[in-house]
Amino acid sequence: MFRSLSVLSLFISQAFGTTHTLIISGDASGGAISATFNDVNHELILTGDTPLTTGADWITLVGTARAYLTFRASATVAAYDVSCSGALTLAGSPVSVPVPVYVGVTHNSSFLFTASYPNGAIATVPLSPEGIPIAPAATTTFTATAPLASPQDQARPHSGIVDVTGQFLIFPDDGLDSLHVYSIGASSATFLYDQPSPVRPSGPRHAVLSGFPVVADWIPRLHVVNEEDNSVETWIMHYTANNVSLILQGSAVSTLEVHGGLNVSTAAELLISPNGRYLLASNRDASLFANGSIAVFRINPPTAKTALTRVSITSSGGANPRSMSLDRTGKWLAVVNGNSNSTAMFPFDQETGFLASTPVANMTGINTPQTVVWLEDRHTPTATEGEILRLQKFV
Ligand SMILES: *[C@@H]1O[C@H](CO)[C@@H](O)[C@H](O)[C@H]1NC(C)=O
Ligand SMILES: *[C@@H]1O[C@H](CO)[C@@H](O)[C@H](O)[C@H]1NC(C)=O
Ligand SMILES: *[C@@H]1O[C@H](CO)[C@@H](O)[C@H](O)[C@H]1NC(C)=O
Ligand SMILES: *[C@@H]1O[C@H](CO)[C@@H](O)[C@H](O)[C@H]1NC(C)=O
Ligand SMILES: *[C@@H]1O[C@H](CO)[C@@H](O)[C@H](O)[C@H]1NC(C)=O
Ligand SMILES: *[C@@H]1O[C@H](CO)[C@@H](O)[C@H](O)[C@H]1NC(C)=O
């Protein structure tokens, strides 16, 4: 019975395609909207609308039933219940935080954290067992000791990332050109140290992790996309008891064919393929109508001289690709092109790193799209205690 059912569903998905749900936030679209993508006929269509306050920006999903969204206009972060069709319903009350551009959650959903680019601050907010934020937020504002010209004139934390042990939290700071490293406690985080970028100005913006456990025999590494000098740098993570050090592997690799200079085509998003072998970085373009691009990098072993090799740069299908997202099979890349008011869908091959240069679908209807996420259950791997001990001897 089960076997024939699964054979039947395989037949149906091959013949008619699987329908995937996405959620896209848009500044000028009243909040966040669901869409569906059929992976056989390539139909990408808007299916719903969730009336939220305007200014919905970052979206982080935890499982398939809980989402956290940031709102710049009201300087709040809020939890939402997510329906299976991607509709969002406010859960609990929004919590005030310094104007947030990013929200993330610890591995065990003990608290959420936000990064404030305009206010130079980070915030943490404890979560109830149901994942509802409990006010007030704990806020830290960073001060610039050696400010440069704008945007390096002040601290500008842009995102945050939890490491594979679930014990450390790292905030890339675009303005101070540094990584703020924190230790994760029961309901908030404690500052450990600042890791300065090798180059000033560089503009660390977003980061992803590679290596263990997805690639079991590679020591964990942190890849950081820099939006001021359009590059990706790689840090090897050396674990000791209660601490982690970041050791640079080689030089940063450009996201552009020709180095653009500052304020030209600023790099924005960084993704890793689900198999842990390729990175994808988006290049926005400073001018309104020029197309953005996507750079693909092969990840070399931790023992290699250079961590990354750029393999291609192709069109993002529109202007200002600030956010993009790969589905969990690594076959589809959804890119929101904010200045073209469009969302493009590109085939990707995570075995070869080949990204198509023409989208199979290009959806309009959401103005100034901000963030795109696939409504899928993504497991965040957390190292066990035994594995953490092994990581401490990995070097
Ligand atoms: C980059 O843009 C900012 C903000 O518009 C400006 O203040 C700064 O001088 C520019 N930097 C360069 C090198 O052009
Ligand atoms: C969540 O993980 C942190 C860090 O390991 C730990 O201090 C905290 O007690 C955990 N909370 C729960 C509810 O398991
Ligand atoms: C943690 O490691 C960093 C980087 O090596 C170091 O600067 C810092 O002093 C260490 N902190 C503690 C508490 O050991
Ligand atoms: C951007 O891409 C579109 C679609 O491929 C193309 O029609 C347009 O000419 C491109 N614009 C620029 C400035 O390259
Ligand atoms: C996608 O649609 C937008 C808005 O109509 C357009 O600007 C862009 O050139 C299109 N991209 C492609 C690759 O057709
Ligand atoms: C995109 O939408 C915004 C907001 O409605 C509008 O101001 C802008 O002109 C649109 N851009 C394009 C290229 O259509």
Side-chain angles (χ1 to χ4, degrees):
M1 175 66 182
F2 285 111
R3 193 170 170 277
S4 57
L5 263 184
S6 67
V7 168
L8 182 67
S9 71
L10 184 68
F11 169 77
I12 290 172
S13 71
Q14 281 174 353
F16 302 106
T18 301
T19 300
H20 306 258
T21 299
L22 299 104
I23 304 174
I24 302 169
S25 63
D27 264 353
S29 306
I33 294 170
S34 56
T36 56
F37 174 64
N38 180 296
D39 59 18
V40 166
N41 67 20
H42 301 154
E43 264 180 7
L44 178 61
I45 44 178
L46 286 180
T47 49
D49 195 338
T50 309
L52 305 173
T53 52
T54 54
D57 187 31
W58 196 261
I59 307 172
T60 286
L61 284 175
V62 177
T64 53
R66 171 72 67 227
Y68 298 93
L69 271 71
T70 61
F71 297 91
R72 291 204 212 193
S74 56
T76 53
V77 61
Y80 287 82
D81 292 323
V82 185
S83 79
C84 53
S85 65
L88 304 178
T89 311
L90 183 65
S93 303
V95 173
S96 296
V97 290
V99 178
V101 294
Y102 188 90
V103 55
V105 178
T106 58
H107 283 191
N108 62 11
S109 284
S110 49
F111 62 88
L112 64 77
F113 46 90
T114 60
S116 176
Y117 181 92
N119 297 115
I122 58 154
T124 57
V125 183
L127 296 173
S128 74
E130 295 72 39
I132 309 297
I134 304 165
T139 298
T140 302
T141 305
F142 299 96
T143 46
T145 48
L148 305 178
S150 174
Q152 259 68 28
D153 54 339
Q154 62 161 80
R156 298 188 185 276
H158 213 304
S159 64
I161 185 167
V162 177
D163 82 318
V164 72
T165 71
Q167 294 178 349
F168 299 99
L169 178 49
I170 299 170
F171 294 95
D173 189 321
D174 204 314
L176 299 186
D177 298 311
S178 84
L179 304 169
H180 305 300
V181 182
Y182 278 72
S183 159
I184 292 178
S187 59
S188 67
T190 307
F191 178 75
L192 279 177
Y193 68 98
D194 271 338
Q195 174 61 58
S197 302
V199 174
R200 268 213 96 178
S202 57
R205 188 178 194 274
H206 280 193
V208 296
L209 299 168
S210 71
F212 180 86
V214 176
V215 182
D217 55 346
W218 284 5
I219 190 168
R221 283 180 286 174
L222 181 77
H223 307 276
V224 180
V225 64
N226 296 308
E227 76 167 292
E228 301 304 325
D229 72 353
N230 301 301
S231 66
V232 182
E233 71 201 13
T234 298
W235 301 88
I236 295 177
M237 305 181 77
H238 283 276
Y239 285 91
T240 53
N242 307 318
N243 203 354
V244 62
S245 298
L246 301 170
I247 314 290
L248 208 55
Q249 183 187 4
S251 316
V253 179
S254 180
T255 62
L256 300 171
E257 204 81 61
V258 177
H259 193 274
L262 295 176
N263 285 3
V264 176
S265 192
T266 44
E269 186 57 291
L270 188 64
L271 302 178
I272 186 163
S273 60
N275 67 358
R277 299 291 178 176
Y278 289 92
L279 292 182
L280 292 88
S282 70
N283 289 304
R284 291 169 290 183
D285 204 296
S287 66
L288 190 55
F289 297 109
N291 293 321
S293 61
I294 313 290
V296 178
F297 303 87
R298 187 177 59 246
I299 305 175
N300 300 322
T303 48
K305 208 167 167 207
T306 32
L308 306 173
T309 304
R310 201 184 61 230
V311 294
S312 66
I313 299 179
T314 50
S315 171
S316 73
N320 195 10
R322 187 168 169 270
S323 157
M324 55 184 185
S325 182
L326 265 175
D327 82 314
R328 67 175 167 191
T329 67
K331 286 184 180 159
W332 300 106
L333 178 71
V335 183
V336 289
N337 285 297
N339 289 1
S340 308
N341 298 334
S342 57
T343 301
M345 188 67 72
F346 293 93
F348 180 65
D349 182 339
Q350 66 166 348
E351 300 308 322
T352 63
F354 178 77
L355 175 64
S357 55
T358 313
V360 294
N362 187 32
M363 180 179 74
T364 53
I366 304 176
N367 284 344
T368 331
Q370 296 285 319
T371 303
V372 56
V373 292
W374 296 83
L375 183 56
E376 297 177 328
D377 205 0
R378 298 283 180 107
H379 176 65
T380 307
T382 307
T384 62
E385 272 179 43
E387 289 165 343
I388 293 170
L389 286 174
R390 206 163 65 81
L391 288 179
Q392 291 168 1
K393 298 181 193 131
F394 219 132
V395 190

